[in-house]
Amino acid sequence: MAVRAGFRALMAGAGLAATALPLAPLATPARAATPAEKIAAMDDAALFDRFGKEVVKLGKPAVCEAVPYTDEMARRRPAQRLMAIAALLRSNCALFQDRYPDALREGEEAEGLGFGRDGDELRALVDFLAMQAALRAGNGDAYAEHLGHVAARGNAAEFAGLQRPAVFVGLRTAAIGNQDRAVLALARSPAFPSLTPEMRGSVAAEALRPALAAGDTAVAEMLVGQLRDAEPTLGMLVDRDYESGWPMLARRVGPHAQTMLLQGVETATADLSKAPEDRLVLSRLVDALVDAGRFDEAIAAAQRIDHTDKGLRKAGEYDGWIINAEVRALDALGRTAEADALFDRLTALPWRERGWMVNFVINNAGRLVRHGAWDRAVLASALATEVANEQGSPYARLSASALRLCATHHAQPGQDQRLLREAVYAHWRDAVTASVRAAQCLGDETAARQFLKDGLADPKMRTDVLTLLQPEDTDLVPDPARTLPRAREIMDADADLRAAYDRAGRDLPEDLRPARR
């Protein structure tokens, strides 16, 4: 009843309601009428009544069934608002049918027909549909535009529906200027404080650069205070895009990054005391302990999850991140064999039942390549490639392929890897760090050098490249088993690359580098 009453009010507002319009009599067709013809043959009262009785039913997702009715209503009475409602329903139907470009086009038509004003009661629905359609269509620029609309309204309830992965995946393909505008709008929104601390930290990490570029010191200082993770913050401290903010970032991380690292442990410890069974919170604590160099404590904390075979069979994604952090701690302590065995047990789980496994099969292959364990790395990277090709993002697929290229080059030197090399090189922008390392692994310094130079010129990947070119003693967590060459070796032999590096960034100052553990 509520749905029918609500739609009746909407129709009345559009000027249609149940008032009959004069219609020319229709000739009886010689063939059976189509559904569209039957709808067209109804008078206004019958059309509205049929819509209310048969289409708008509580608990029934009948939006596609509603489309021919609202299209006919809009055809008879082309009032702007009614035409917008018809377009909105067509957008929703296209979304249900996985016709994402159509959904986005129809949503934009609805927006242009009257739902584009702030304060309109259906504005939020337009943005929701447009963001979903843009996300699935891979249209980052449209996603950024509608995310900006949500931010401008500053509605805390709408903000509560924003999930970090969707927000940043949606922006990934947007032009850098549109990305910047969207995340800066989020940061400036009066509803920003209503986001979770984790989400505020994620937005802050993305919005600080455009805030500094805009000269918005007040917002920049607020964002620096929201940063939670030391590693990306140290990356900002080597990128000249953040140069005007370096003093406040240096205060945030503290001498040798200890202020931020210790705060991470303290925050995660306090959060876990409030939710001792929460695997997400436990994973944050184990990661924070590893980043702070407290490796034995991290390994001890990780034992709170069941490490037996029976326990691992029940593992969820955050159990996987706990084990991932535990492996980092074991590697840092030189306990490589224990780390190998633990990661092998995790990645042996049936991955098709676990959409999150792609992260860990790639990480396992990556550490084996990094350690030069070539025979094992071939098997691990083959698995990573299979999983990433079925479940992963372009970044994941490129990362896995690059690892497989490197592992096979060393373990099976006679095997022709030309096609795989060409595929990795053609898509290097999907994962610049993995591509540089693969080229170095092949001994192809020409390709590696070009990826580095082009990456330094691209705002989307500049920080990643600058981090890759840092001195060895800037690593947050050391890995003594590492055997791969470092990209900095290429820069040391190339004056042009060094000049490009100096224009784009700097070495992390020694007083900010993590203390050696």
Side-chain angles (χ1 to χ4, degrees):
M1 292 298 294
V3 172
R4 292 181 62 192
F7 194 80
R8 185 180 296 275
L10 202 56
M11 294 298 101
L16 183 67
T19 304
L21 293 176
L23 298 175
L26 298 176
T28 303
R31 56 177 173 74
T34 66
E37 288 170 339
K38 290 179 181 179
I39 292 172
M42 296 176 185
D43 63 26
D44 286 2
L47 177 64
F48 179 82
D49 189 61
R50 181 76 174 179
F51 179 89
K53 288 180 178 178
E54 299 300 326
V55 178
V56 182
K57 293 182 178 178
L58 290 175
K60 182 180 180 182
V63 64
C64 291
E65 296 175 37
V67 166
Y69 290 87
T70 52
D71 280 351
E72 178 64 18
M73 293 172 182
R75 186 190 69 79
R76 295 184 189 187
R77 181 64 59 85
Q80 182 172 327
R81 188 164 182 78
L82 186 53
M83 293 170 65
I85 291 168
L88 191 62
L89 264 66
R90 291 195 299 271
S91 174
N92 207 351
C93 175
L95 195 59
F96 277 122
Q97 294 179 343
D98 299 336
R99 296 185 288 111
Y100 305 126
D102 291 341
L104 185 57
R105 186 184 65 254
E106 298 286 4
E108 289 175 343
E109 181 179 339
E111 181 180 8
L113 284 166
F115 291 155
R117 299 180 299 277
D118 288 341
D120 189 290
E121 66 268 25
L122 293 180
R123 171 76 250 187
L125 182 56
V126 170
D127 285 321
F128 169 78
L129 290 174
M131 288 172 71
Q132 294 298 309
L135 178 64
R136 288 167 170 78
N139 189 329
D141 294 312
Y143 187 93
E145 176 187 351
H146 289 278
L147 183 61
H149 295 166
V150 172
R153 285 195 295 275
N155 185 305
E158 286 184 65
F159 263 41
L162 296 178
Q163 299 298 319
R164 177 182 177 274
V167 168
F168 296 113
V169 167
L171 292 174
R172 188 170 293 159
T173 61
I176 190 69
N178 290 338
Q179 285 185 25
D180 287 352
R181 279 191 290 274
V183 294
L184 188 53
L186 285 177
R188 287 170 166 168
S189 172
F192 179 77
S194 70
L195 294 173
T196 65
E198 293 75 23
M199 184 67 182
R200 291 199 303 272
S202 298
V203 173
E206 299 292 335
L208 179 57
R209 183 174 56 81
L212 291 169
D216 195 336
T217 304
V219 167
E221 289 179 349
M222 179 275 292
L223 293 174
V224 168
Q226 297 292 333
L227 296 172
R228 294 169 61 88
D229 298 321
E231 189 167 17
T233 306
L234 292 173
M236 297 172 192
L237 278 159
V238 302
D239 187 337
R240 293 199 186 278
D241 278 354
Y242 298 86
E243 187 167 5
S244 63
W246 281 349
M248 66 179 82
L249 285 165
R251 290 192 296 271
R252 178 74 183 94
V253 299
H256 301 293
Q258 289 303 296
T259 300
M260 199 168 196
L261 292 171
L262 293 177
Q263 187 178 82
V265 173
E266 291 169 0
T267 299
T269 300
D271 290 345
L272 189 63
S273 69
K274 300 171 188 173
E277 302 303 318
D278 191 320
R279 289 291 193 262
L280 169 58
V281 178
L282 177 59
S283 73
R284 289 177 182 146
L285 174 60
V286 180
D287 263 325
L289 288 166
V290 175
D291 287 347
R294 294 157 65 168
F295 305 127
D296 290 320
E297 291 178 65
I299 294 167
Q303 304 315 303
R304 295 176 65 153
I305 67 169
D306 189 346
H307 280 54
T308 66
D309 289 342
K310 181 179 179 180
L312 285 182
R313 283 195 294 272
K314 299 177 182 178
E317 180 175 4
Y318 294 113
D319 297 287
W321 286 117
I322 291 165
I323 290 172
N324 190 86
E326 185 179 359
V327 166
R328 290 201 300 139
L330 290 167
D331 278 339
L333 292 171
R335 294 162 59 179
T336 308
E338 294 174 66
D340 287 343
L342 182 56
F343 231 161
D344 283 347
R345 293 173 64 214
L346 176 65
T347 56
L349 296 174
W351 58 268
R352 286 188 174 85
E353 303 169 10
R354 298 167 172 83
W356 46 265
M357 186 65 81
V358 63
N359 301 295
F360 306 108
V361 293
I362 291 174
N363 287 354
N364 187 39
R367 61 180 294 278
L368 292 171
V369 166
R370 188 167 65 248
H371 295 169
W374 302 120
D375 290 336
R376 299 183 66 235
V378 166
L379 297 176
S381 62
L383 174 62
T385 302
E386 181 182 8
V387 178
N389 285 344
E390 185 164 324
Q391 297 181 345
S393 64
Y395 174 87
R397 293 194 293 273
L398 192 285
S399 297
S401 295
L403 292 168
R404 189 175 190 180
L405 177 62
C406 181
T408 306
H409 172 77
H410 281 278
Q412 302 168 5
Q415 185 169 327
D416 183 4
Q417 293 295 307
R418 178 176 51 86
L419 292 179
L420 182 56
R421 183 184 69 248
E422 289 176 355
V424 169
Y425 283 16
H427 299 282
W428 71 272
R429 290 180 180 277
D430 289 339
V432 60
T433 297
S435 300
V436 169
R437 288 173 175 162
Q440 279 191 280
C441 186
L442 300 179
D444 188 354
E445 291 198 358
T446 299
R449 185 180 300 110
Q450 193 62 53
F451 297 155
L452 290 166
K453 288 180 178 177
D454 290 347
L456 287 172
D458 189 324
K460 287 189 175 182
M461 59 183 80
R462 181 178 298 135
T463 300
D464 287 343
V465 176
L466 289 167
T467 300
L468 188 61
L469 289 168
Q470 289 298 301
E472 182 175 357
D473 65 353
T474 60
D475 289 345
L476 192 60
V477 179
D479 185 352
R482 178 191 176 103
T483 63
L484 286 185
R486 291 181 173 270
R488 193 174 178 93
E489 296 173 14
I490 297 175
M491 185 173 71
D492 289 342
D494 188 313
D496 289 341
L497 178 56
R498 180 73 207 207
Y501 172 85
D502 289 338
R503 288 192 299 271
R506 64 172 179 173
D507 290 352
L508 185 66
E510 292 194 12
D511 62 333
L512 298 176
R513 298 178 190 181
R516 293 298 86 201
R517 289 86 178 245

